[in-house]
């Protein structure tokens, strides 16, 4: 089983989400290899203990009441990155920013767009994360997953059924263990320059100085969520410590001591207002974990 340092009890989830929000997890488990993940999942299933899988916590809003059961954290303990020629293989807990810089260090092009996405690989594969014209579907060749039955499987890019913020992972209840990228050799200085430029754009346009979960809403077809929110007059709208960023209206930020209920209230008001003004239903990109009113 897991070592003593790999199991935390009554662990505040605010320590593990980029929103810096969330009540306690009953058990917070940190496996370091595939065998430990499989073993832990089997035990949790045997005793009917609810289990939530998380990576960097960058797209989560965890309830103020916390999470019942166990959180299985695929993080630093499960984050190796291996380079073989123009191929990179990384475990689910590897941070996207680190993968991008490892890629650049080996003069491999194609992953520049992920440098500023504040998440880990498992979540990015699950959601087919993207930015600045790139997305995971364009660079992934295969993904290693664990099925609900505990079977280890390799899925090709086609079998992943990638779409906008979608993959087969959530549909089939799979757990991403690792992924392989097929890249192209390039000029290291040009790759690093592009990473630097994309990083500059993010800092210029996004409220990175405040805790948040990144883009709050998915892009509605034919529109941009941030512009709809801005045109609805909601820039700076605030409830408790949660606020619509004036720098980028597509972000709900934790301006200070915001609760999960504060954030949920802002999201609900945004959805209602945009629907009333433009007849467009915004769909949250962030995941609500725990007890919330219907969003």
């Amino acid at each position: 089983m897991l070592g003593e340092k790999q199991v935390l009890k009554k662990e505040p989830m605010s320590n593990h989400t980029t929103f810096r929000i969330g009540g306690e997890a009953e058990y917070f488990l940190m496996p370091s290899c595939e065998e430990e993940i499989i073993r832990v999942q089997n035990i949790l299933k045997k005793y009917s203990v609810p289990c939530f899988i998380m990576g960097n916590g960058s797209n989560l809003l965890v309830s103020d009441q916390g999470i019942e059961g166990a959180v299985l954290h695929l993080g630093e303990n499960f984050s190796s990155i291996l380079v073989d020629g123009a191929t990179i293989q990384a475990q689910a807990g590897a941070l996207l920013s680190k993968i991008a810089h490892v890629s650049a260090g080996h003069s491999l092009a194609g992953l520049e767009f992920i440098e500023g996405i504040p998440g880990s690989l498992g979540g990015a594969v699950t959601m087919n994360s993207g930015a600045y014209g790139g997305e995971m579907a364009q660079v992934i060749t295969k993904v290693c997953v664990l099925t609900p039955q505990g079977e280890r499987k390799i899925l090709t890019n086609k079998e992943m059924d990638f779409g906008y913020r979608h993959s087969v992972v959530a549909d089939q209840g799979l757990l991403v263990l690792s992924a392989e990228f097929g890249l192209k050799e390039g000029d290291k200085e040009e790759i690093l320059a592009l990473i630097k430029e994309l990083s500059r754009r993010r800092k210029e346009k996004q409220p990175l100085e405040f805790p948040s979960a990144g883009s709050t809403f998915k892009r509605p077809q034919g529109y941009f969520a941030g512009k709809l929110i801005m045109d609805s007059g909601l820039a700076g709208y605030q409830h408790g410590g949660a606020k619509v960023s004036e720098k980028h209206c597509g972000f709900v930020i934790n301006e200070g001591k915001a609760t999960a209920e504060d954030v949920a209230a802002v999201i609900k008001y945004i959805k209602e207002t945009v629907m009333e003004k433009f007849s467009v239903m915004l769909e949250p990109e962030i995941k609500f974990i725990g007890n919330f009113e219907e969003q």
Side-chain angles (χ1 to χ4, degrees):
M1 270 300 290
L2 303 182
E4 187 178 335
K5 293 183 179 180
Q6 293 173 273
V7 180
L8 303 177
K9 296 179 181 179
K10 295 186 181 297
E11 176 66 8
M13 290 301 293
S14 56
N15 293 340
H16 303 282
T17 65
T18 56
F19 248 136
R20 299 290 174 254
I21 292 173
E24 294 178 346
E26 227 176 320
Y27 296 96
F28 192 84
L29 312 176
M30 297 169 282
S32 59
C33 64
E34 291 184 12
E35 291 72 21
E36 287 182 352
I37 293 170
I38 294 170
R39 206 176 306 138
V40 167
Q41 281 213 311
N42 287 338
I43 291 173
L44 294 175
K45 284 177 186 175
K46 180 179 179 180
Y47 293 99
S48 300
V49 178
C51 178
F52 172 66
I53 314 295
M54 74 169 287
N56 194 45
S58 60
N59 70 329
L60 305 179
L61 180 63
V62 177
S63 163
D64 299 315
Q65 287 74 47
I67 301 176
E68 291 183 7
V71 171
L72 194 60
H73 182 226
L74 303 186
E76 188 177 351
N77 284 4
F78 194 67
S79 61
S80 73
I81 303 170
L82 302 175
V83 182
D84 182 10
T87 299
I88 288 182
Q89 185 169 11
Q91 290 181 316
L95 291 175
L96 299 181
S97 57
K98 186 170 182 182
I99 297 173
H101 281 277
V102 168
S103 175
H106 286 79
S107 302
L108 297 175
L111 292 177
E112 295 85 348
F113 74 93
I114 71 172
E115 190 275 338
I117 300 176
S120 52
L121 180 59
V125 172
T126 301
M127 294 295 293
N128 188 23
S129 296
Y132 294 105
E135 60 181 11
M136 303 302 286
Q138 298 169 354
V139 287
I140 282 179
T141 54
K142 56 187 177 183
V143 179
C144 179
V145 299
L146 190 66
T147 71
Q149 295 74 38
E151 180 188 0
R152 189 178 182 276
K153 289 180 66 175
I154 303 294
L155 301 180
T156 63
N157 182 293
K158 186 176 181 180
E159 289 172 325
M160 285 296 295
D161 189 31
F162 285 120
Y164 176 66
R165 300 299 177 263
H166 170 270
S167 76
V168 75
V169 173
D171 295 343
Q172 297 185 11
L174 306 174
L175 186 159
V176 175
L177 294 171
S178 63
E180 183 179 285
F181 299 93
L183 306 171
K184 295 180 180 179
E185 293 185 3
D187 181 274
K188 183 186 292 188
E189 296 307 314
E190 289 180 3
I191 295 168
L192 289 171
L194 180 53
I195 285 177
K196 186 176 180 180
E197 170 60 17
L198 295 181
S199 178
R200 183 195 66 78
R201 288 192 215 170
R202 285 189 177 91
K203 290 176 182 175
E204 185 179 276
K205 297 180 180 180
Q206 298 178 8
L208 303 181
E209 64 272 26
F210 292 101
S212 78
S215 296
T216 305
F217 297 97
K218 295 181 181 179
R219 185 180 67 243
Q221 191 169 3
Y223 299 91
F224 291 99
K227 188 172 190 313
L228 286 171
I229 296 167
M230 181 177 66
D231 292 346
S232 296
L234 295 177
Y237 173 78
Q238 189 159 0
H239 184 285
K243 182 180 180 181
V244 176
S245 169
E246 290 140 315
K247 190 173 185 180
H248 190 314
C249 289
F251 286 65
V252 174
I253 59 174
N254 178 0
E255 197 177 48
K257 298 183 179 178
T259 65
E261 289 301 326
D262 289 340
V263 175
V266 170
I267 290 173
K268 184 177 181 181
Y269 187 72
I270 290 171
K271 289 175 62 179
E272 292 172 347
T273 305
V274 170
M275 186 64 185
E276 180 184 332
K277 290 183 177 292
F278 297 102
S279 298
V280 176
M281 178 56 70
L282 292 179
E283 182 183 352
E285 187 165 320
I286 64 176
K287 294 182 179 179
F288 293 79
I289 308 300
N291 294 322
F292 289 95
E293 292 182 18
E294 186 177 350
Q295 293 299 313

